[in-house]
Amino acid sequence: MSFHGVALTDIAATRLSDGAPTVSLAELGEPAGLEPGRPVRLIDRHAETLATGIADPENGVVRILARSELRALDGAFFRRRVEGALALRRATRVADDTEAWRLVNGEGDGLPGFTVDVYGAFVVCSVPGRGLLPWGRLLAEAALGSDTLGLRGAVIKVRGKDPQDRSAKEEIHGECPPDKLVVHELGLAFEVHLVGALNVGLFTDMREQRRGLARFVAGRRVLNTFAYTGALSVAAARAGATHVTSVDLSSGVLAWARANFHLNGLPDDDGRYRFEVSDVRRFMEKERERGATWDTIIMDPPTVSAARASQWSMKKDYPDLIALAAKLLPPDGGILWASANTRKGPSVLAQVADGLQRAGKSGAVLETGGLPPDYPTPPAWDESRYLEVCQVWLK
């Protein structure tokens, strides 16, 4: 497909100079002829190309692939991007103690909107729209072509604009992964499902948080809310928590969590580990009514949930839930472990501060954290650093 030249407006030129990984079509004056996936050259008033990208009208943007003129967007280009990304991961030795890690992280690796995650001998390539699928195929082929990774197959997943859309297109290149694949991370085993769903069951961006969990849970009774497939619960149990209760609205993901406990030699029939299918708020309210307390409460909620039994929005519902959690910690002190996606709402510390004010509690921040080193981000673009985690001592 040939390049399409687009003149930069002043607004778009300013956004580009600020380091933005995308420029909106509205900022470009809604240029004609930009079908999905079309290679684009962004041209200044002196007819010089300042950037090269691809059109993504489904999401209303041009995705910037280089801040210069590229002669071609082809397999060789994607191979160079993958080789550069792999060199960074080798430098930080990310894969030394895990089989699950991120090989390409969007704009941090010069491919905004695209990601590649490694799970053992397979990769999952995520593409931001159907029109960009041909470029996702080139990216998958570049990853599979790496001699050092030894990959056997790739799953390409197309993300729809609606995060709740489960009808996104999926393709298999090379060998199809098994329905249930076991990968190892930091000495722990986790079951992942690479085919058939947008989320595979293990969020690699939380690896460093799982690594550091021991100092907040060892010897303590732990409540893990929004437990999903139980990765944090497994990490807490293996780190020496005396009791772990995992709460999630979905019985399916809690069955998956039980499977992860079994994979790690953790029994679920001796009273130390419980799995509660429940709306998190209702469960916590019942715990409050019966006078229960927990030494550490983990809160890693989704940004939104459209489940009929429990609609949830982090932006409007999180502070009240934090306030409720604060009342379930012991009067002499307990730990709140909380995360937030800052692309969808305030920072985690702002959410915690709001919640504590509502609960009439005081606290002290013990630690803050974010993305691991296999999730590099551009220094000039804060929006890329979406994950925030904090641990707070409350009395």
Side-chain angles (χ1 to χ4, degrees):
M1 192 182 295
S2 62
F3 283 91
H4 186 96
V6 176
L8 280 166
T9 63
D10 290 342
I11 293 174
T14 298
R15 182 172 171 83
L16 196 62
S17 66
D18 286 343
T22 62
V23 176
S24 77
L25 297 181
E27 291 167 337
L28 291 169
E30 302 290 352
L34 290 186
E35 63 267 31
R38 183 73 180 266
V40 176
R41 289 192 176 117
L42 298 180
I43 302 167
D44 69 8
R45 64 184 62 187
H46 305 294
E48 294 185 4
T49 299
L50 296 188
T52 305
I54 50 178
D56 182 8
E58 179 183 345
N59 294 289
V61 298
V62 170
R63 299 185 180 276
I64 308 303
L65 301 185
R67 295 176 189 277
S68 61
E69 181 174 353
L70 294 178
R71 294 296 179 185
L73 279 178
D74 52 17
F77 167 81
F78 283 92
R79 286 193 294 274
R80 290 193 299 271
R81 284 287 192 263
V82 168
E83 288 166 3
L86 183 56
L88 188 154
R89 275 68 179 178
R90 286 176 181 149
T92 54
R93 305 185 66 175
V94 164
D96 281 5
D97 52 8
T98 182
E99 295 174 327
W101 49 282
R102 177 152 287 189
L103 172 59
V104 172
N105 188 51
E107 54 265 30
D109 290 298
L111 293 169
F114 295 85
T115 62
V116 180
D117 291 299
V118 177
Y119 298 95
F122 300 91
V123 290
V124 174
C125 301
S126 180
V127 180
R130 291 177 184 269
L132 276 63
L133 182 56
W135 304 113
R137 292 173 183 141
L138 290 180
L139 179 58
E141 290 168 7
L144 288 175
S146 170
D147 294 333
T148 57
L149 288 173
L151 299 170
R152 304 205 306 267
V155 182
I156 302 177
K157 296 178 184 286
V158 179
R159 299 193 311 273
K161 191 172 184 180
D162 179 1
Q164 301 298 320
D165 182 9
R166 296 294 183 263
S167 63
K169 185 176 177 61
E170 187 173 271
E171 290 186 358
I172 308 296
H173 289 245
E175 182 181 331
C176 183
D179 291 340
K180 297 179 181 180
L181 176 71
V182 176
V183 294
H184 295 84
E185 173 198 272
L186 311 175
L188 304 176
F190 296 104
E191 178 186 299
V192 293
H193 303 174
L194 304 188
V195 178
L198 192 58
N199 294 322
V200 305
L202 181 67
F203 293 110
T204 56
D205 58 359
M206 295 292 284
R207 183 190 321 106
E208 294 306 307
Q209 311 309 322
R210 291 188 284 271
R211 187 195 301 272
L213 196 59
R215 55 186 170 271
F216 305 112
V217 301
R220 305 175 70 83
R221 298 179 69 255
V222 177
L223 173 62
N224 183 16
T225 63
F226 306 98
Y228 190 45
T229 60
L232 285 166
S233 295
V234 168
R238 284 289 298 271
T242 60
H243 181 103
V244 180
T245 290
S246 304
V247 182
D248 199 282
L249 188 61
S250 168
S251 59
V253 296
L254 283 186
W256 195 340
R258 284 181 181 271
N260 280 330
F261 268 69
H262 292 163
L263 282 173
N264 289 278
L266 298 166
D268 62 359
D269 57 359
D270 65 356
R272 288 183 296 165
Y273 310 124
R274 290 169 51 205
F275 302 87
E276 297 286 342
V277 179
S278 174
D279 170 76
V280 167
R281 180 184 297 278
R282 282 196 283 272
F283 177 86
M284 294 172 70
E285 286 172 346
K286 289 180 179 178
E287 292 293 279
R288 174 72 171 159
E289 289 171 2
R290 74 181 187 89
T293 60
W294 299 85
D295 302 316
T296 299
I297 297 178
I298 296 173
M299 308 191 79
D300 182 29
T303 53
V304 294
S305 173
R308 292 181 181 178
S310 177
Q311 292 192 349
W312 159 270
S313 167
M314 179 180 286
K315 185 178 293 187
K316 68 181 181 65
D317 297 326
Y318 206 5
D320 280 340
L321 204 61
I322 289 171
L324 182 55
K327 296 174 182 178
L328 286 173
L329 293 169
D332 58 347
I335 294 172
L336 176 67
W337 187 110
S339 74
N341 184 329
T342 59
R343 284 178 181 162
K344 304 295 183 180
S347 73
V348 69
L349 290 177
Q351 299 273 27
V352 169
D354 190 354
L356 296 190
Q357 184 177 34
R358 297 182 191 199
K361 296 275 188 175
S362 61
V365 176
L366 305 177
E367 186 175 280
T368 61
L371 294 169
D374 49 327
Y375 281 69
T377 58
W381 201 246
D382 290 346
E383 291 178 25
S384 296
R385 291 176 285 281
Y386 62 88
L387 177 65
E388 291 185 355
V389 179
C390 72
Q391 293 80 33
V392 183
W393 177 258
L394 302 183
K395 293 185 69 173

